[in-house]
Amino acid sequence: MGGVTAADLAPILLVLGDEELLATRAVAETVARARDVDPEVDVREYQAGALTVGEIAEMLSPSLFGGRRVLVLRSGQDARKDLAAALLAYAKNPDPDVQLVVLHLGGAKGKAFADGLRAAGATVVPAAKLKGHRERVAFVRDEIRRAGGKCTDDAAEALIAAVGNDMRELAAACSQLIADTDGRIGADTVARYYKGRVEVSGFTVADATLIGDVPAALEALRWALHVGVDPVPIADALADGVRTVARVAAAGRGDPYQLAGTLGMPAWKVKSAQQRARGWTPEGLVQAMRAAAECNAAVKGGSDDRAYALERAVFSVAAARQGGAR
């Protein structure tokens, strides 16, 4: 990045959305750019709901000592009408030495304030939670790219399968992969790196159970519980695994990429479920779904021994596959 000049700094930024990681990052990047221009920049944070119009006038008034300021206004959706009006009036003619950063959740609450800032020419930084699988794949690829690496779609999908959908965990996993590799990341890199770590995920327990490998499933389950993985996501992964195999088995043996659109799931998940569906009968899957549902009810209903409920489910699901084997 070339040298940042004062002209590069947007006087008003509206950080719009409810994903804390992206909002925090937007503030950190704004402050870093302001420090490039003026290392002595004065950074102040305020909560919109607790601020009065008098305080806002003081906060925005020119400083006696000059110098650049970054004013971060958190929870902009909580700003009262008089405060929002004062800020919108300021936004029409902002101070070039001040950067006002307004964080707003982006929902219906305080929408007029967000719309007013946008209309006044605020630079909008999107910070909404990622909803779809494709968005998460793009996020992982961008994370790796930002850190100077390269990453394939397959690698991004493998990382999401190993780590889950939490953006903080995904961002941390991307940093770790970049730090520990040469930066060129393929699906094989992710598989190599997460071998031995992925056993703490509920998906490993589910995968081993669905192919009838009870010893591997129990080992992964005991290890996951030993290192403190919550039993609820393990029960969820088991139920999700059985449901996915049932849906894919019912759809027939078609091309994974064509079935992905019909079933509304990524092609890699269809492909993997097709492999796990071998050896299952419709009757066996019905029994397995019943066992997974009972396990879910026990684990989420605060059963006295949630570990036992999970172990019993591993045996029951594997037995349903065995009993229905052809």
Side-chain angles (χ1 to χ4, degrees):
M1 188 168 75
V4 179
T5 67
D8 297 324
L9 303 178
I12 299 177
L13 267 93
L14 172 62
V15 180
L16 203 55
D18 53 352
E19 176 49 68
E20 196 190 330
L21 172 77
L22 297 179
T24 303
R25 186 176 281 175
V27 172
E29 286 176 358
T30 302
V31 171
R33 284 167 68 82
R35 286 210 170 109
D36 281 347
V37 172
D38 176 5
E40 301 295 307
V41 65
D42 181 13
V43 181
R44 299 182 192 181
E45 290 205 11
Y46 304 87
Q47 284 291 336
L51 209 56
T52 65
V53 173
E55 286 169 322
I56 200 92
E58 191 182 318
M59 151 182 149
L60 293 167
S61 62
S63 163
L64 289 172
F65 306 105
R68 176 158 286 283
R69 276 176 295 164
V70 176
L71 306 175
V72 180
L73 192 64
R74 294 193 175 274
S75 306
Q77 70 283 350
D78 295 339
R80 290 191 297 272
K81 278 186 183 166
D82 55 350
L83 180 70
L87 285 167
L88 292 175
Y90 166 79
K92 288 178 183 143
N93 186 22
D95 182 334
D97 289 328
V98 173
Q99 268 188 295
L100 174 64
V101 184
V102 177
L103 279 71
H104 189 295
L105 287 179
K109 187 180 183 190
K111 186 173 184 300
F113 178 37
D115 290 348
L117 286 172
R118 199 197 292 263
T123 299
V124 178
V125 182
K129 278 190 170 33
L130 304 186
K131 297 202 166 54
H133 181 74
R134 280 178 193 281
E135 286 182 11
R136 282 189 280 271
V137 169
F139 171 74
V140 168
R141 294 197 66 176
D142 287 345
E143 281 294 291
I144 303 280
R145 204 175 296 125
R146 279 161 62 97
K150 280 187 176 172
C151 164
T152 62
D153 271 1
D154 281 357
E157 294 203 336
L159 191 64
I160 293 163
V163 174
N165 291 335
D166 182 87
M167 286 182 70
R168 281 186 182 279
E169 287 182 20
L170 282 172
C174 290
S175 302
Q176 195 68 54
L177 278 172
I178 286 285
D180 293 350
T181 63
D182 64 359
R184 287 192 299 272
I185 293 158
D188 56 335
T189 324
V190 176
R192 225 175 26 249
Y193 191 81
Y194 277 89
K195 194 177 179 196
R197 287 175 175 77
V198 83
E199 65 263 32
V200 302
S201 134
F203 293 105
T204 322
V205 179
D207 284 351
T209 306
L210 284 162
I211 58 168
D213 189 345
V214 174
L218 291 177
E219 186 189 351
L221 173 61
R222 284 164 191 160
W223 174 249
L225 295 172
H226 172 70
V227 296
V229 176
D230 189 301
V232 170
I234 302 177
D236 281 340
L238 190 57
D240 179 65
V242 174
R243 250 194 326 270
T244 303
V245 165
R247 285 180 66 204
V248 169
R253 297 186 54 79
D255 175 81
Y257 292 91
Q258 286 176 338
L259 286 173
T262 319
L263 295 170
M265 61 177 80
W268 64 266
K269 198 170 181 181
V270 174
K271 206 169 171 184
S272 129
Q274 282 178 330
Q275 288 163 352
R276 280 166 190 64
R278 288 180 198 139
W280 279 98
T281 62
E283 298 78 19
L285 283 165
V286 169
Q287 282 175 36
M289 281 197 270
R290 196 176 297 126
E294 282 169 9
C295 171
N296 244 311
V299 168
K300 291 176 183 172
S303 156
D304 288 346
D305 194 344
R306 300 196 296 173
Y308 172 68
L310 284 163
E311 284 197 9
R312 198 177 59 204
V314 167
F315 282 115
S316 301
V317 171
R321 181 179 184 277
Q322 205 68 34
R326 279 184 186 153

